[in-house]
Amino acid sequence: MTDVTATALLLGGLLYLEWQQQRQLQIKTKSSWLKVVVAIVAALLIVALFWSANTISNLRLVILAILVASVGLYRQGLGKTKVITYGSVAHASDYQRYDRVITETIKQGTMVTFWSKKGGSYSLMFDQPEADIREFFKENLPQNVALLTAEEWATLENRDAQDDRQRQADMLAAIRNRPQRNRLPWQKRGRRSEVTRKG
């Protein structure tokens, strides 16, 4: 019973922290009724399929079902200082952790990609127009985070790729045209014998 109580307290703490995160939401992602329905059905199925005569096991099931349902019920989106996603408590997703934020208009609204050199990237979908999302970011993003459109991002990526190719070509040319003193020992010996024969 002790482990169930401890688990329930941990779950309660997690749900409270997530509720606090929800209060910070300024712009919410697209709502998905399918996600909510799937989460609730999954939670109910967990309880229905694994219900037993054991009270402790049933309490564990209920805790697990609440956790699964909460994933579908909580919303994601943008706060003033961070991206609000499920499980992103404290400073886990502060805007300053990202190098670039890319906005792109899509059929259903706007897609926003958060890109970091260290941690990869992920995207969120919004109902709001791209202009509104960009205005929000201009007011709230730190100065060290670049706000780019999809076209600017593509141009930047092409430029970086060209710079990388040029850098590799320069390195290869430097290796091919290195001075004689950098030859391998047997190549140097061969060169000396040629000079001796000519003399």
Side-chain angles (χ1 to χ4, degrees), residues 162-177:
Q162 287 172 357
D163 290 347
D164 284 343
R165 283 195 295 272
Q166 186 59 49
R167 200 174 301 114
Q168 289 171 0
D170 292 344
M171 286 173 60
L172 190 58
I175 291 168
R176 286 181 179 156
N177 302 323

Side-chain angles (χ1 to χ4, degrees), residues 2-199:
T2 307
D3 61 331
V4 174
T5 306
T7 306
L9 287 173
L10 285 171
L11 177 63
L14 174 65
L15 294 176
Y16 175 74
L17 288 172
E18 289 296 340
W19 178 74
Q20 292 281 63
Q21 297 292 311
Q22 294 293 296
R23 293 177 61 196
Q24 295 178 38
L25 276 171
Q26 302 287 313
I27 300 178
K28 295 178 181 179
T29 54
K30 287 174 70 68
S31 58
S32 170
W33 288 107
L34 180 62
K35 177 185 168 187
V36 173
V37 169
V38 167
I40 292 172
V41 168
L44 292 173
L45 281 174
I46 287 170
V47 173
L49 291 173
F50 299 102
W51 193 262
S52 66
N54 188 325
T55 307
I56 301 294
S57 295
N58 292 339
L59 287 172
R60 287 192 187 114
L61 272 180
V62 170
I63 291 170
L64 179 60
I66 292 170
L67 184 61
V68 169
S70 71
V71 174
L73 296 173
Y74 278 129
R75 297 287 298 276
Q76 300 184 99
L78 307 174
K80 288 203 174 213
T81 59
K82 64 186 285 186
V83 189
I84 310 293
T85 57
Y86 193 83
S88 63
V89 293
H91 303 289
S93 58
D94 283 359
Y95 293 135
Q96 64 190 9
R97 294 178 60 104
Y98 306 103
D99 299 295
R100 297 170 185 164
V101 174
I102 304 105
T103 61
E104 180 180 3
T105 299
I106 55 174
K107 274 186 181 179
Q108 302 84 7
T110 305
M111 180 171 73
V112 179
T113 302
F114 300 90
W115 185 88
S116 167
K117 289 176 187 172
K118 295 178 182 176
S121 65
Y122 63 94
S123 301
L124 295 175
M125 308 288 191
F126 296 89
D127 289 319
Q128 293 80 359
E130 185 176 3
D132 293 353
I133 301 284
R134 290 185 67 79
E135 194 58 40
F136 176 83
F137 280 131
K138 283 174 186 172
E139 292 174 8
N140 295 291
L141 277 184
Q143 290 183 348
N144 64 312
V145 181
L147 177 61
L148 305 169
T149 62
E151 293 78 20
E152 290 169 338
W153 168 255
T155 303
L156 195 60
E157 285 291 288
N158 286 337
R159 192 181 310 143
D160 288 349
Q162 287 172 357
D163 290 347
D164 284 343
R165 283 195 295 272
Q166 186 59 49
R167 200 174 301 114
Q168 289 171 0
D170 292 344
M171 286 173 60
L172 190 58
I175 291 168
R176 286 181 179 156
N177 302 323
R178 64 186 174 201
Q180 179 72 18
R181 67 177 180 276
N182 286 342
R183 287 186 170 227
L184 296 170
W186 58 85
Q187 291 173 322
K188 289 180 184 176
R189 272 189 258 121
R191 180 75 181 159
R192 273 197 224 108
S193 59
E194 282 177 26
V195 172
T196 308
R197 278 200 300 273
K198 285 179 184 176

